[in-house]
Amino acid sequence: MVPEEIRQKVEALRKEIRHHSYLYYVKDSPEISDYEFDHMYRALVDLEKEYPEVVTPDSPTQRVGGKASDDFRKVRFRKPMLSLANAFSADELRDFDRRVREGLGTDKVEYITELKIDGLSMNLIYENGRLVQGLTRGDGRVGEDVTANVKTIHTIPLYIENAPPYMEVRGEVYMPRKSFIALNEERDEAGIMPFANCRNAAAGSLRQLDPHVTAARNLAFFAYALGDIQGLEIHSQEELLKQLEIFHFQVNPNYRKWDSIEGVIGGVNEWELKRHDLGYDTDGMVIKVNDFAQQSSLGATVKDPKWAMAYKYPPEEAETTVERIIVTMGRTGVLTPSADLAPVHLAGTTVKRATLHNMDFIHEKDIRVGDHVIIYKAGEIIPEISKVLTDKRTGKEEIFEMPDTCPICGDPVQRIEGEAAYRCVNPECGGVVREKLIHFSSRDAMDIEGMGPSVVDSLLAAHLVNDPGDFYTLKQEDIEGIERMGEKSASNLVAAIADSKGRGLAKLLFGLGVRFLGAKGAELIAHRFRTLDRVIAAGVDEIQETEGIGKVIAGSLYDYLHDVKNLTIINKLKNAGVLMEEVVQETEGRAFEGEMVVLTGKLSSMGRREAGDIIKRQGGDVQSSVTNKTTLVVAGEDAGSKLEKARAKGITVIDEETFLARAGVPRQ
Ligand code: IVH
C-alpha cells in the first residue's frame, strides 16, 4: 500500500512539473532555472521508483519509454480528417466567399485566417483529460497509431485539467527550422541521407519504432481544430483557439478575424513575405468561416469542408547550372561534395553553392557537372538542388566521381561499410586536424571569438597548435608573431581563449568533435552526467540510457573516451583549467516583472531575439509594436518610428547601456 501522503506528494510534484514544462515549452518563458526543474523532476522519478504502483501513463516521467505499437496499428476515426481545397489567387478566394455567402443566404460572415503549418496533421484523443491515443491522418478515414511517439513531444499535454470526458484535438506536428538544420548536419556527418525539408523530417521522426529517436528530434505541435467531442460546447473557431490555449496547447498566435474577404486577401498578402522570418515552415494560409453553426450549415464534400480553404503560396525556387563539383572536409574527416552554381538570386540572397551531401544523394538525383538544376532553400537557409532538368542536357555534362585520395593529405579515402560518407581516416591529416580545431572554437562549441579558419591556418603553419589542448598554452608573443596579428588582436585572442575555459561540459563535449554527437546530444549527456569524469566512468549502456541518445551515439562517445590519444587531449585541457563540468545557470533576477517591452533599433551587444529572451526570463513580456499596453521601449541604434510613437505616448524609453545594467548582463 502506498501511503496517502506519498500519493499527494507525487500528484503535487506532477502538477508543478506540468506547470513549469508548459511555461518552458509552450510559453517560452520559464520561471525557474533548468537546475531547479531537474531537481523537481528527479524527486518525482525517485518516488516513482520507490513506489512503482503510483506510476501512470500521463506522468511527466512517461514521455519516453513506452513502445511504439508494432507497424503502427490502423485505427478508424470517429469523424474523418478532411483535407482542404486549394486557392492560388485572390479571385479564387473571392469565388470561395461568394459560394459561402450564397450557401448561407447572408452576407454576415466572419473569417479566421491561420498560418498553414507545413507539417503533418495529428488527431489526439483525450479521455477525462488524459492523452490516450495519437493518430496520424493516414487516408483521412483510418489513421496510424503513433501514441508512444507523440507523447515525446513536449508541447502536447499528457494531462489536461478541467477537460471534458472525451475530446479529440487536431493540429500539426512540425519540426522547427533550427532543429531541422541541426539534424541534417548530423546526418551529413554520419553519412545518412538528409531530409529534403522540415515536413519530411517531421514525418520521418514520427514514424520511428523507437520513441527515444523521436524524443531527440525536437518536434512541436500547433493545435487548430477539434475532432469528436463530448461534454463541451464551442461556438466558433476563435472561441476554440482560445479554449485550446486554456487547455495549454500551443496555438499559433498569428491568427486573425476578418469581416470581409478583402480583409482576408490583405492578410494573405501580408504573410507572403513575413512567413520567411518564422522559425518553422508554412506553405500558405488557411481561411475558415468563424461561426460553427454556419460551418455545419455549409457542410462538406466527400473530401473537403465547404467552409474552409487553403491559400497556397508559390514555392521559392530558381533555375541555375552546376559549374563544378568540389570536395570539402568536415570535422570528423567526412569528405562532402558541393556544387558550385552559376550565381542566382533566391529568397533574398545570391546563391553560389549548394551542398550535395554525399555520393548517394548525387546518384539518386543524377546530378552532373554542367546540368541545369532547380534549387530551393531547405529550412529557409540551406540551398539545395531539388531536381535536374534532364531535358536541357546537351550530352556534354560530366559524371562526378569521388577522388580516391584525400584532397588534403593524399592518403586513400575510405567508404565505411553501410555509410554513404567517404572519409579521410588519417588522424594526422592536416585537413582533419584543421577542421577539428575550427570546430572546437566555433560558436556552438567553445566559442573562441576571433579564432576563425584563417587564424587556425596561421597557427598551424607556425606549428603552434596540433590539437585543441594547445590553444590554452598559447602566449601573447606566440600569436603576435603570426601573419596579420598585431599586439591588440593577439591580446584579444589570448583573452578570448581564456574566456572560453568556462563554457561548461555540453559545449566542451560538442567541441571535441566526437562522431555522431551533435550539439543537442552533447547537452543531453552533460545534463545527465554533470561532470566529464562521470561520463568517462560510465559504461556504454549507461550512456545509452540518456533520453535522446541512441546506440550509435553512445557507442561512438564511449569509444572516443576510451582512446588514449583523446584522453591525452582531455588531460591537456583539464590541466589548462578548462571547466569539465556542466554549468548551472543561476536563476536570473526579475528585473522586467510585469513590463510590456518593445525592442527597436539595432543593439550592439546581442540580437533582439536574445534581448527578448532575457526580458522574458526576467518576468517581462515582449511585443512587436508599440501599443497602449507598452510600458517600456529599449531603443538601440537607428531606432525609427516605434521610438517616435513611444515618445509621443510618453512611454519610458531606455538605451542599450541602461537595459544591460538593469538586466544584470555585463557588457563584453
Ligand atoms: S484545418 C477540415 N488549419 O493543411 C479542416 N489545417 O491542406 C482541417 N494544416 O490536412 C484542416 N495548418 O495538415 C487546418 N491552421 C491549419 C493548418 C492546417 C496546416 C494542414 C493540415 C491539413 C492540410 C490541408
Side-chain angles (χ1 to χ4, degrees):
M1 262 298 276
V2 181
E4 187 49 32
E5 63 191 82
I6 296 293
R7 283 192 188 279
Q8 281 176 9
K9 205 165 164 192
V10 164
E11 259 327 299
L13 272 171
R14 285 181 185 158
K15 199 168 169 176
E16 189 94 336
I17 290 168
R18 271 202 302 271
H19 171 68
H20 289 292
S21 227
Y22 166 71
L23 291 177
Y24 183 88
Y25 289 105
V26 180
K27 303 303 278 180
D28 197 15
S29 60
E31 278 174 3
I32 58 173
S33 66
D34 289 3
Y35 186 73
E36 287 168 283
F37 183 85
D38 287 348
H39 261 274
M40 222 183 267
Y41 190 87
R42 179 83 14 216
L44 178 60
V45 170
D46 289 347
L47 279 174
E48 290 184 346
K49 247 190 204 152
E50 201 176 334
Y51 302 96
E53 306 94 301
V54 300
V55 179
T56 53
D58 63 342
S59 170
T61 58
Q62 304 300 302
R63 283 206 176 265
V64 194
K67 262 186 66 164
S69 84
D70 290 342
D71 62 22
F72 308 114
R73 199 161 55 90
K74 305 269 189 294
V75 181
R76 184 165 288 275
F77 297 116
R78 292 194 188 189
K79 285 194 173 172
M81 285 184 85
L82 300 178
S83 68
L84 295 173
N86 291 327
F88 298 95
S89 68
D91 277 344
E92 285 176 74
L93 287 179
R94 291 189 186 103
D95 286 345
F96 162 67
D97 173 56
R98 196 170 318 116
R99 288 196 301 275
V100 166
R101 284 183 291 115
E102 279 170 15
L104 293 171
T106 173
D107 285 345
K108 282 196 84 154
V109 186
E110 281 178 343
Y111 293 107
I112 297 283
T113 51
E114 294 166 18
L115 295 179
K116 185 163 164 6
I117 313 298
D118 202 7
L120 59 150
S121 41
M122 181 63 53
N123 186 61
L124 302 171
I125 304 179
Y126 288 88
E127 285 175 7
N128 299 316
R130 295 195 155 75
L131 174 67
V132 293
Q133 206 166 47
L135 305 171
T136 64
R137 182 168 175 275
D139 65 2
R141 314 274 149 182
V142 175
E144 287 182 314
D145 183 340
V146 287
T147 312
N149 292 341
V150 292
K151 279 176 79 176
T152 68
I153 301 174
H154 286 277
T155 45
I156 292 182
L158 300 182
Y159 176 71
I160 303 174
E161 283 180 39
N162 304 318
Y166 183 89
M167 170 168 74
E168 294 177 7
V169 172
R170 294 178 175 177
E172 205 81 355
V173 171
Y174 66 97
M175 183 177 285
R177 285 177 179 154
K178 245 173 113 175
S179 314
F180 163 73
I181 288 165
L183 174 64
N184 266 0
E185 276 173 9
E186 283 171 25
R187 290 172 80 86
D188 274 351
E189 282 293 338
I192 314 171
M193 280 297 241
F195 288 110
N197 51 45
C198 298
R199 176 170 28 86
N200 290 5
S205 303
L206 257 192
R207 292 185 55 85
Q208 290 287 335
L209 283 172
D210 178 1
H212 286 90
V213 177
T214 315
R217 293 283 175 86
N218 243 339
L219 296 172
F221 177 77
F222 280 126
Y224 53 65
L226 284 178
D228 198 14
I229 184 155
Q230 282 155 17
L232 182 68
E233 289 263 333
I234 296 196
H235 306 91
S236 69
Q237 179 66 9
E238 185 182 29
E239 192 187 326
L240 169 64
L241 295 174
K242 293 202 166 122
Q243 185 59 52
L244 289 170
E245 280 192 65
I246 295 171
F247 284 150
H248 284 185
F249 284 96
Q250 195 167 39
V251 170
N252 191 286
N254 303 305
Y255 68 86
R256 251 180 98 170
K257 188 165 76 176
W258 310 90
D259 54 16
S260 78
I261 199 70
E262 293 311 316
V264 166
I265 292 166
V268 162
N269 290 337
E270 184 189 325
W271 275 100
E272 171 144 25
L273 285 180
K274 257 179 33 182
R275 71 197 182 101
H276 298 303
D277 300 330
L278 296 164
Y280 44 86
D281 277 5
T282 54
D283 58 343
M285 283 198 103
V286 181
I287 298 101
K288 302 175 181 176
V289 168
N290 187 28
D291 187 85
F292 279 4
Q294 287 188 333
Q295 285 188 4
S296 40
S297 125
L298 285 161
T301 69
V302 238
K303 263 176 53 215
D304 318 308
K306 292 186 190 164
W307 45 265
M309 199 82 189
Y311 182 91
K312 290 284 198 78
Y313 294 116
E316 296 227 44
E317 291 178 343
E319 185 184 328
T320 181
T321 52
V322 176
E323 294 187 329
R324 51 187 199 131
I325 294 180
I326 56 151
V327 176
T328 55
M329 184 173 271
R331 70 185 157 99
T332 53
V334 174
L335 296 173
T336 308
S338 303
D340 271 355
L341 305 168
V344 61
H345 201 71
L346 175 64
T349 61
T350 303
V351 176
K352 293 187 212 141
R353 184 169 286 181
T355 171
L356 298 175
H357 304 288
N358 53 54
M359 288 309 289
D360 286 358
F361 185 89
I362 295 178
H363 289 145
E364 196 180 293
K365 299 221 183 286
D366 188 18
I367 298 165
R368 303 179 189 179
V369 177
D371 265 340
H372 287 258
V373 291
I374 299 292
I375 60 166
Y376 70 102
K377 281 189 185 162
E380 273 319 308
I381 296 184
I382 315 285
E384 293 271 356
I385 293 180
S386 62
K387 65 168 180 226
V388 173
L389 301 173
T390 41
D391 292 355
K392 294 202 170 176
R393 278 199 178 143
T394 61
K396 290 204 181 119
E397 294 74 20
E398 285 166 35
I399 292 180
F400 170 77
E401 279 184 47
M402 191 57 106
D404 301 332
T405 53
C406 169
I408 292 143
C409 70
D411 263 22
V413 162
Q414 277 189 24
R415 182 171 197 166
I416 294 165
E417 235 350 84
E419 274 190 24
Y422 286 76
R423 22 180 121 244
C424 174
V425 288
N426 171 11
E428 262 115 59
C429 167
V432 178
V433 171
R434 173 180 189 265
E435 292 308 320
K436 277 193 183 277
L437 291 169
I438 294 172
H439 172 75
F440 183 86
S441 32
S442 67
R443 213 158 173 192
D444 290 339
M446 296 296 269
D447 194 14
I448 306 179
E449 212 182 318
M451 187 68 81
S454 65
V455 176
V456 167
D457 285 340
S458 306
L459 292 171
L460 280 169
H463 302 289
L464 286 167
V465 289
N466 199 40
D467 65 58
D470 298 332
F471 283 143
Y472 295 93
T473 47
L474 284 173
K475 299 202 178 47
Q476 165 126 6
E477 52 271 29
D478 297 334
I479 302 175
E480 266 175 41
I482 68 175
E483 232 181 302
R484 288 191 303 265
M485 269 287 174
E487 195 183 318
K488 181 88 182 103
S489 3
S491 93
N492 283 348
L493 192 57
V494 172
I497 293 170
D499 190 45
S500 75
K501 286 184 190 172
R503 298 277 181 258
L505 183 57
K507 305 282 180 194
L508 174 65
L509 273 175
F510 178 56
L512 288 173
V514 180
R515 249 178 98 190
F516 307 118
L517 185 68
K520 174 89 187 158
E523 257 171 43
L524 296 171
I525 298 281
H527 226 68
R528 158 106 192 272
F529 291 94
R530 304 250 170 234
T531 71
L532 187 59
D533 284 340
R534 283 200 210 124
V535 192
I536 295 174
V540 70
D541 293 343
E542 219 180 323
I543 299 178
Q544 203 187 318
E545 275 166 21
T546 313
E547 185 182 324
I549 299 294
K551 208 161 128 191
V552 178
I553 301 179
S556 167
L557 179 59
Y558 181 88
D559 291 347
Y560 181 95
L561 294 174
H562 290 82
D563 180 318
V564 182
K565 276 203 277 333
N566 298 330
L567 289 175
T568 313
I569 299 175
I570 289 171
N571 268 330
K572 251 167 143 174
L573 293 165
K574 202 185 258 178
N575 293 337
V578 172
L579 185 64
M580 303 268 148
E581 291 175 16
E582 166 80 325
V583 273
V584 176
Q585 265 182 15
E586 296 282 323
T587 318
E588 288 170 291
R590 307 287 298 167
F592 297 95
E593 189 76 61
E595 299 271 27
M596 273 287 187
V597 190
V598 171
L599 292 151
T600 178
K602 199 172 150 22
L603 301 178
S604 61
S605 58
M606 61 181 81
R608 280 214 290 270
R609 180 192 293 256
E610 198 182 328
D613 288 345
I614 293 177
I615 292 166
K616 284 190 238 160
R617 283 205 302 272
Q618 301 203 32
D621 225 325
V622 179
Q623 294 175 289
S624 54
S625 55
V626 176
T627 68
N628 287 338
K629 288 195 184 144
T630 312
T631 59
L632 182 70
V633 169
V634 180
E637 239 172 84
D638 299 325
S641 62
K642 288 183 193 172
L643 176 58
E644 278 167 33
K645 198 165 166 191
R647 292 234 163 92
K649 285 181 183 280
I651 296 166
T652 313
V653 176
I654 58 173
D655 62 9
E656 183 173 356
E657 208 71 44
T658 317
F659 164 70
L660 293 175
R662 183 159 162 188
V665 178
R667 215 186 213 299
Q668 309 231 315

